[in-house]
């Protein structure tokens, strides 16, 4: 007899997303059944301490899998790699930028996109990670929803156009934000200051927008229209052509936002 | 008999920094003695539930104050306002950008710069806030250190040049970072997405650099040199001239950093 409502999940991949996903699924009510990686040893790291099986060939896939999640680099999703998989499986991928059409030759497919920045060495609380779903039919959506809601308290259904916009927004919220941290680190280091001084400020800046909109809590010389300080900062940046250009354009955007308020 | 080592502190100002500082001092081993504001009612909000006195004129200052902290807007520190204060007090201010020379006519003076973004409505743990000190002599430095280390676990001695660099670095780490959040909010809103989806990512991005250097954890299309995605993002931004320009320059800086690694 089948276990009611318990899904058998396979993961393809052994990188950061696959690692965190495998762990979260193995702790959920659903079953992590198989992890497939071209590198069997890496697949075994993910299946270690779980009831699941590490495999290295699509032909070894369990035909009873309910969902097969591709947690791979974008370029692999475009390749012939996918055509090797059985047509009767539900296939989905975790990419923010690859279209659902990657699976167009499969009758049942979707997207399972966890919006977070993962590193192998850092634990994350999967319950807090937004999971964005899309599917080519309601039956698939229902199954993806069942899995997602067992892993996270924040499940969203978004379409491909929204997912692209979200991925772009995430570049600003995460990648470009990290570059701002990086520039602040380099500027402080140049003056013999430890980056440690800036860490509490970084933490609090992120904490503030957890219950406010960023536009409500914008501070600093540009928001105050304090042109004396801005001029002084531009002078300090005279040896950093790129940073100076970034300072100028970001300052102008903040000033323009202020005028529009 | 005087209480050994207990300093009597006065605060000038009733804004965000003054508010959080008054609260932290009143909870410390030192004594919040007076709060001076041109608006007496606002000073009273800060002295409420403390043993300290609200005043609205420099002539009312207690001559036994050990340290008088100016937590005011930068432009007030430049004005004739300061000349009204008694010459025998230790004067210091909390600004990241105003020189110590603001107090040049006072024999004992310094800087007491807490590096944090304060809002009245949000509690902060003062123990975690870096306090940056500077003084024109060792006796003043000693007193400022005694106060600072009773409020925070993170006390630094930095000179004026370093403080200016730190203030500039903080514009990147806080003000420009918040603009990145703001742009991500606007881009997601345009596609009908709730900013709530991005909040966990923002929190984790700040959490990652608490124990890593930003350059070690840089991710995203620019870090991967994924030019297909970059082109797609620039197309999505074609109606946002400013955001597109920001995307281009930040992407180029991340790519250049990568080449230098």
């Amino acid at each position: 007899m089948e276990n009611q409502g318990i899904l058998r999940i396979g993961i393809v991949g052994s990188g950061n997303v696959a690692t965190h996903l495998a762990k979260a699924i193995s702790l959920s009510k659903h079953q992590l059944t198989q992890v497939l990686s071209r590198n069997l040893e890496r697949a075994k790291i993910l299946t270690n301490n779980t009831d699941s099986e590490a495999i290295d060939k699509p032909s070894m896939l369990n035909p009873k899998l309910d969902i097969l999640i591709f947690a791979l680099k974008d370029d692999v999703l475009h390749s012939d790699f996918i055509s090797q998989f059985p047509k009767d499986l539900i296939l989905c991928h975790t990419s923010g930028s690859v279209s659902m059409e990657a699976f167009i030759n499969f009758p049942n497919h979707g997207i399972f996109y966890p919006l977070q920045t993962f590193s192998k060495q850092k634990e994350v609380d999967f319950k807090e990670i937004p999971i964005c779903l899309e599917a080519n039919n309601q039956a698939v959506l229902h199954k993806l929803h069942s899995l997602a809601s067992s892993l996270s308290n924040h499940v969203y259904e978004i379409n491909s156009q929204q997912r692209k916009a979200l991925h772009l927004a995430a570049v600003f919220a995460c990648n470009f934000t990290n570059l701002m941290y990086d520039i602040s680190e380099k500027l402080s280091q140049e003056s013999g200051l430890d980056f440690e001084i800036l860490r509490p400020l970084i933490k609090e800046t992120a904490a503030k927008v957890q219950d406010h909109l960023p536009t409500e809590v914008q501070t600093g010389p540009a928001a105050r229209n304090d042109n004396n300080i801005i001029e002084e900062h531009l002078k300090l940046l005279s040896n950093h052509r790129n940073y100076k250009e970034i300072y100028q354009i970001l300052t102008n955007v903040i000033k323009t936002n202020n005028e529009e308020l």
Side-chain angles (χ1 to χ4, degrees), chain A:
Chain A
M1 208 176 87
E2 305 273 327
N3 280 323
Q4 196 67 33
I6 294 182
L7 300 169
R8 284 155 302 219
I9 314 293
I11 292 178
V12 186
S14 56
N16 292 341
V17 177
T19 301
H20 287 283
L21 201 52
K23 188 166 179 190
I25 295 170
S26 69
L27 296 171
S28 78
K29 71 167 188 170
H30 299 295
Q31 189 189 76
L32 180 67
T33 307
Q34 291 181 315
V35 174
L36 188 162
S37 172
R38 278 177 287 192
N39 182 328
L40 190 63
E41 292 312 307
R42 289 182 61 180
K44 280 182 182 164
I45 295 170
L46 275 66
T47 57
N48 193 17
N49 294 323
T50 73
D51 293 333
S52 60
E53 181 190 12
I55 58 174
D56 61 357
K57 286 181 195 66
S59 60
M60 298 167 78
L61 280 170
N62 183 329
K64 289 195 170 175
L65 284 180
D66 292 290
I67 303 173
L68 184 62
I69 305 174
F70 289 76
L72 296 168
K73 287 189 178 156
D74 288 0
D75 53 345
V76 185
L77 293 171
H78 286 298
S79 75
D80 291 340
F81 181 62
I82 285 175
S83 65
Q84 307 169 43
F85 288 83
K87 289 277 179 296
D88 53 345
L89 279 181
I90 296 179
L91 266 53
C92 63
H93 70 68
T94 59
S95 165
S97 44
V98 175
S99 158
M100 201 161 69
E101 308 226 321
F103 298 123
I104 195 140
N105 293 321
F106 295 79
N108 293 298
H109 60 261
I111 306 292
F112 193 94
Y113 173 41
L115 182 68
Q116 190 49 281
T117 171
F118 297 99
S119 355
K120 275 192 186 164
Q121 65 273 30
K122 193 166 181 304
E123 290 292 315
V124 291
D125 179 3
F126 225 96
K127 284 276 169 211
E128 296 305 315
I129 297 177
I131 301 179
C132 304
L133 304 178
E134 188 181 359
N136 77 320
N137 64 55
Q138 282 299 317
V140 171
L141 187 62
H142 183 78
K143 281 202 177 169
L144 294 183
H145 212 290
S146 167
L147 173 61
S149 58
S150 77
L151 305 182
S152 167
N153 297 327
H154 307 281
V155 181
Y156 299 86
E157 285 168 37
I158 69 175
N159 62 39
S160 282
Q161 180 272 329
Q162 287 177 315
R163 186 160 43 89
K164 281 183 183 175
L166 186 59
H167 187 247
L168 172 61
V171 169
F172 282 88
C174 171
N175 310 144
F176 290 166
T177 287
N178 191 69
L179 177 63
M180 297 300 113
Y181 302 160
D182 186 40
I183 295 173
S184 77
E185 191 271 332
K186 283 170 177 148
L187 291 172
S188 53
Q189 197 196 40
E190 276 180 15
S191 288
L193 296 162
D194 194 320
F195 183 54
E196 196 58 36
I197 305 191
L198 286 158
R199 286 185 163 124
L201 178 65
I202 284 171
K203 208 169 160 184
E204 178 69 11
T205 302
K208 265 190 170 178
V209 297
Q210 298 301 312
D211 46 17
H212 290 88
L213 288 178
T215 186
E216 296 166 356
V217 295
Q218 184 68 58
T219 57
R224 290 195 304 272
N225 216 9
D226 188 337
N227 293 316
N228 291 330
I229 299 287
I230 291 167
E231 282 309 311
E232 223 180 279
H233 284 171
L234 291 174
K235 263 184 229 159
L236 285 173
L237 290 171
S238 55
N239 291 325
H240 290 287
R241 201 178 53 81
N242 283 337
Y243 297 170
K244 189 175 172 181
E245 197 182 337
I246 292 170
Y247 189 103
Q248 280 171 314
I249 179 172
L250 299 186
T251 290
N252 288 337
V253 171
I254 294 172
K255 282 185 176 187
T256 310
N257 285 349
N258 262 8
E259 283 162 18
E260 286 168 358
L261 282 180

